Amino acid sequence: MASTRATFTLDAELAHSARRLGINVSAAARQGLEAAVERAMADADRAAYMAQPEQPDEFWDHAEVWSEA
């Protein structure tokens, strides 16, 4: 995976606490951003579904499973 540099601002006290506790700020920011992106994607999926929810389809009532067995 390619990486890119990013700059962000955080509270000085928070930065001091992170340094004191040995927290890797880059890793913590990456994890937090990954979680935020996952939540945003789930929210977008949910909103799209709510805008056009699935409707009953009689075709699937009679569909058969095809398998190699």
Side-chain angles (χ1 to χ4, degrees):
M1 157 178 46
S3 294
T4 187
R5 285 186 152 290
T7 302
F8 63 97
T9 304
L10 52 117
D11 181 74
E13 184 59 35
L14 182 60
H16 174 72
S17 294
R19 268 191 241 97
R20 184 173 47 82
L21 295 167
I23 295 172
N24 181 325
V25 174
S26 291
R30 185 171 37 256
Q31 291 167 352
L33 186 56
E34 286 172 354
V37 166
E38 286 179 13
R39 278 191 308 273
M41 289 175 69
D43 290 347
D45 284 349
R46 190 174 299 106
Y49 177 80
M50 295 305 289
Q52 292 188 331
E54 291 182 53
Q55 301 297 320
D57 186 340
E58 291 181 25
F59 169 80
W60 296 110
D61 293 340
H62 306 289
E64 294 182 21
V65 175
W66 297 340
S67 67
E68 295 180 24

